[in-house]
Amino acid sequence: MKLAVVGTGYVGLVTGACFAEMGHRVTCVDIDAEKVAKLKEGCIPIYEPGLKPIVLRNHEEGRLHFTTSLADAMVDTEIVFIAVGTPPGEDGSADLKYVIGVADEIGTNLSEYAVVVTKSTVPVGTAEKVDAAVRQALDKSGADVPFDVVSNPEFLKEGAAVEDFMKPDRIVVGVSSDRSREVMRELYKDFSRNHDRILFMGVKDAEMTKYAGNAMLATKISFMNEVANLCDRLGVDVENVRLGIGSDSRIGYSFIYPGCGYGGSCFPKDVRALIHTAGENDYKSLVLQAVHERNEDQKHVLFRKITARFGEDLSGLTFGMWGVAFKPGTDDIREAPAVVLMEELLAAGARVKAYDPEALEAARNELPGQWFANGAVTLVRHQYEALEDVDAMALVTEWKPFRHPDLRAMKEMMKQLVVFDGRNQYDPQSLKDEGFEYFGIGRR
């Protein structure tokens, strides 16, 4: 099939590359000419395991193309995916101006039947707005071209997006016509050869499924963080509690790891957007509001532990930080707990040495320039370089190389043997036996 994917960000690029990998002819569209030029040269703008070889291979073999022209991309195209950003407004609402702008351009260039698919995470009712925008553009040109709007939300984990796309748990497709249902079934048939993974439903149902899924996962995280904070006060080891409740098949082990909060471009934004949607419909979302508030506060837990140990004034102290990305497997630092901790440490007079396997370039580009100019923050190229002459180490992102630290090397490098474990990766007693002070989340 011939596809167009509008937007070459995280969702759009993964979507386009993976469909091309399955033999479809895909054109990815972006208004950023420099970005398109770099993609044509093989420069991938995001870090995602396994993505670069797929993009390079399919571009070289002629199945994956990049352009700034949606009009060119739509020639003979059967399906057009909208995968542009929906940045949050100050009130938590999702800004749909880019989605609607693309819909208008689709309508302007539509010459034969096509399925317009919203791949971006959008509020319930967005497909209706997309439909209206396409129809309005068609009316302006006097064209009478049939089309359908479908909701096909992505369920990709950053750090495992390619695998998630190629081997999905489920494929949620919201349709309003038999014709669009059959087009989408044909598109995804190769992803369902083992068993049918496609869940057809109403368009609004699909839009809500995406938000509800992310909100549920965020709820599990915030709930477990709440339990961990209570364990801190009761002298309970939350790791034993985690194992105890996770063994219940009704609960399971996924997303019940306590830590210093979730970040990224999905969970925080989607929880706020769903809270906003509830308010727009005269409904107060008590649970989701609590989930959001717990997570915002959780990002400050490590700093409170640091000041409890060292005092409010951290002048003259240096902290080594392992991890800057909001989670392992990505270079995304949006709403990352590490950034919050950095800001608090600097405000208290401390200096920071930080290391991350993939997010150093993003940190250098996106964090305030004055942090680096005045030497308050130093980004280093080796994880142990971040511990040279520091007064404490803070683990903020649970990358695999951090799981088994060289304690002997740490003892030789660090001025004070103090570890703040923001992801509960270490056994407290093992560190204490080696002379370290240990501070975890619900662990002592």
Side-chain angles (χ1 to χ4, degrees), residues 42-111:
C43 298
I44 310 302
I46 59 174
Y47 172 73
E48 181 61 42
L51 178 61
K52 186 171 184 176
I54 290 179
V55 171
L56 295 180
R57 178 169 59 251
N58 285 281
H59 181 56
E60 289 172 0
E61 295 178 3
R63 289 187 297 271
L64 181 61
H65 303 274
F66 302 100
T67 183
T68 58
S69 173
L70 179 56
D72 291 344
M74 284 185 61
V75 175
D76 297 325
T77 291
E78 299 160 83
I79 305 174
V80 184
F81 286 91
I82 301 177
V84 294
T86 54
E90 291 185 6
D91 59 358
S93 62
D95 188 344
L96 298 177
K97 64 182 178 183
Y98 301 116
V99 172
I100 301 304
V102 172
D104 177 76
E105 192 172 354
I106 290 172
T108 300
N109 293 285
L110 195 64
S111 59

Side-chain angles (χ1 to χ4, degrees), residues 2 54 58 66 77 88 154 180 196 198 204 211 219 248 259 305 314 318-319 329-330 341 350 361 376 415 431 433:
K2 190 170 185 294
I54 290 179
N58 285 281
F66 302 100
T77 291
E154 52 85 15
S180 61
D196 193 358
I198 306 177
K204 287 186 175 182
Y211 272 113
T219 298
D248 187 329
K305 289 180 179 290
L314 302 179
T318 301
F319 292 83
T330 181
L341 179 58
E361 184 177 354
K415 287 195 294 187
L431 268 70
D433 289 345

